[in-house]
Amino acid sequence: MIIVMQEKATKKDIDDVVSRVEGFGYQPMVLEGALRKVVAAMGDGRDKARLQALESLHHVESVMPILKPYKLCSREIKCENTVVDVKGVKIGGNKLVVIAGPCSVEGEEQLAMTGSAVKKSGASILRGGAYKPRTSPYSFQGMEEDGLKILRTVSDKTGMPIVTEVMNPREVDLVYKYTDVIQIGARNVQNFSLLKEVGKLDKPILLKRGLSTTIEEWLMSAEYILSEGNQNVILCERGIRTFEKATRNTLDLSAVPVVKELTHLPIIVDPSHGVGYWQWVGSMSKAAVAAGADGLMIEVHWKPEEAFSDGPQSLKPKKFDILMGELKAIANAVGKEI
Ligand code: PEP
Ligand code: MN
């Protein structure tokens, strides 16, 4: 249930509602909208009538059920867009945010060269995996903590915030120490203990869609993070598995407007994993921006032919630079800046 406070409600009024909600055995969460504050009462639905009765308090405007299975990330609870702030880079606002970098961190020179090139082209966040979820245990698994150290060093040198993946609840504290945004990869989207762990952190989470998760299941995963207290979640569409084999995955761009309607959380698109071949990354990047995405995550490698992972889908810095130029007109056409 959500308890919508009167516009004039004071802090004392809100505290009063919060303690009543707790008293009924629900977990309260105060959400501040532009005009009104609401108190979300999270629980199993028992004593719903007592929550409903709070409507008679003079500082409460209304008490309403939340119909969607996900609550905190639903537009029902917060109609204005959430803007996630990553060290001053705002995701979910008017500016299209581009995250770029190699699939894996392979060394300091590789990351530094790529980082400074993508920054020059207009990317504002640097990506790179230090822990890699590989289909084969014999494939490169990532540089682990050495990779995290390189990410931090290059971030400090370039001034670009970084995003990197955590795969395991045991490594959350370590990854947290080095990164600015924590990525939960497609294969871990329903690793609920990992989601709960990152939900306790005070750094933004980039939550990728799973290979076969529905939009509703994906939003339920976001809900796991929000329900632990972390409201800074960025969703990332990266393609789903279908019968089509010409592309690595099928990039579900219809997820962008659907997600925009269902949730206040920002959504970005990763066309690199979506299509799996660099030749098609540009077209799908443009389509994603036209569909209303808040940003893009694009794999860029200075020498894709030598990449330890995902070389075939990585753009060379020059091609990335050209694409960034082309994206301008599309971003402007949908009311965004780049
Ligand atoms: C990645 O971003 O490098 C990655 C492994 O992505 P996904 O989890 O979407 O496959
Ligand atoms: Mn990759």
Side-chain angles (χ1 to χ4, degrees):
M1 302 282 267
I2 38 174
I3 298 123
V4 183
M5 304 299 296
Q6 291 280 6
E7 215 176 316
K8 310 182 287 292
T10 61
K11 173 157 188 325
K12 196 161 153 265
D13 297 334
I14 293 165
D15 290 346
D16 171 51
V17 168
V18 164
S19 70
R20 286 172 194 263
V21 166
E22 271 169 348
F24 300 153
Y26 284 78
Q27 185 201 335
M29 200 162 280
V30 181
L31 298 151
E32 311 209 357
L35 274 181
R36 270 181 185 85
K37 292 194 173 61
V38 305
V39 179
M42 317 303 294
D44 59 11
R46 262 178 280 170
D47 273 344
K48 243 176 20 198
R50 299 181 76 187
L51 283 175
Q52 195 72 55
L54 296 181
E55 218 161 34
S56 58
L57 292 171
H58 74 278
H59 44 265
V60 169
E61 186 182 285
S62 58
V63 178
M64 297 185 301
I66 312 169
L67 301 172
K68 292 278 191 290
Y70 41 88
K71 315 281 181 199
L72 296 171
C73 61
S74 158
R75 282 257 187 222
E76 288 181 63
I77 222 171
K78 183 173 178 244
C79 52
E80 64 266 31
N81 292 334
T82 288
V83 178
V84 176
D85 190 327
V86 182
K87 288 187 156 170
V89 178
K90 295 193 166 59
I91 308 177
N94 263 349
K95 197 160 184 285
L96 184 86
V97 173
V98 179
I99 303 171
C103 178
S104 302
V105 179
E106 298 165 7
E108 190 170 328
E109 194 191 11
Q110 168 243 18
L111 192 70
M113 296 290 280
T114 313
S116 60
V118 297
K119 185 181 178 184
K120 233 182 267 162
S121 302
S124 40
I125 299 179
L126 180 63
R127 63 148 288 147
Y131 293 88
K132 295 305 303 177
R134 306 305 301 279
T135 302
S136 165
Y138 307 116
S139 300
F140 175 61
Q141 303 285 307
M143 290 184 74
E144 304 186 343
E145 189 171 4
D146 287 341
L148 295 174
K149 287 183 183 155
I150 291 172
L151 279 160
R152 190 71 265 145
T153 305
V154 173
S155 172
D156 293 344
K157 276 191 191 150
T158 57
M160 291 175 95
I162 46 169
V163 55
T164 198
E165 177 166 354
V166 68
M167 287 170 48
N168 190 320
R170 287 195 304 272
E171 282 141 9
V172 166
D173 289 346
L174 183 70
V175 174
Y176 172 89
K177 214 168 77 180
Y178 290 99
T179 194
D180 303 306
V181 178
I182 293 171
Q183 176 171 323
I184 300 293
R187 291 152 192 84
N188 267 319
V189 70
Q190 287 189 315
N191 181 341
F192 301 118
S193 44
L194 181 61
L195 298 175
K196 283 189 192 173
E197 217 45 47
V198 299
K200 297 188 184 97
L201 304 177
D202 59 2
K203 287 186 180 175
I205 310 300
L206 179 74
L207 179 65
K208 289 201 154 190
R209 182 174 181 184
L211 279 72
S212 61
T213 42
T214 63
I215 290 174
E216 185 168 291
E217 287 164 341
W218 184 21
L219 295 181
M220 292 304 286
S221 293
E223 189 75 11
Y224 263 93
I225 301 172
L226 267 67
S227 67
E228 291 294 326
N230 190 344
Q231 307 300 304
N232 289 310
V233 173
I234 307 145
L235 298 164
C236 179
E237 164 61 44
R238 47 77 72 205
I240 51 175
R241 182 153 300 181
T242 68
F243 54 83
E244 182 53 67
K245 291 200 286 196
T247 46
R248 182 178 178 182
N249 291 289
T250 297
L251 188 63
D252 180 12
L253 285 183
S254 59
V256 175
V258 174
V259 159
K260 280 271 160 212
E261 186 172 310
L262 297 175
T263 175
H264 50 85
L265 296 173
I267 176 167
I268 68 164
V269 171
D270 168 357
S272 308
H273 292 89
V275 297
Y277 299 93
W278 69 266
Q279 293 92 324
W280 304 320
V281 168
S283 305
M284 297 317 283
S285 299
K286 293 173 202 168
V289 174
D294 295 299
L296 295 167
M297 178 147 106
I298 300 176
E299 285 187 342
V300 179
H301 198 287
W302 66 333
K303 292 175 189 160
E305 64 284 3
E306 289 176 19
F308 292 3
S309 60
D310 287 350
Q313 69 192 33
S314 300
L315 293 183
K316 287 185 180 165
K318 180 90 192 106
K319 289 237 158 48
F320 175 72
D321 189 64
I322 295 168
L323 173 61
M324 288 295 280
E326 292 171 351
L327 287 173
K328 249 182 214 130
I330 297 159
N332 294 160
V334 293
K336 284 203 170 72
E337 286 168 20
I338 182 166

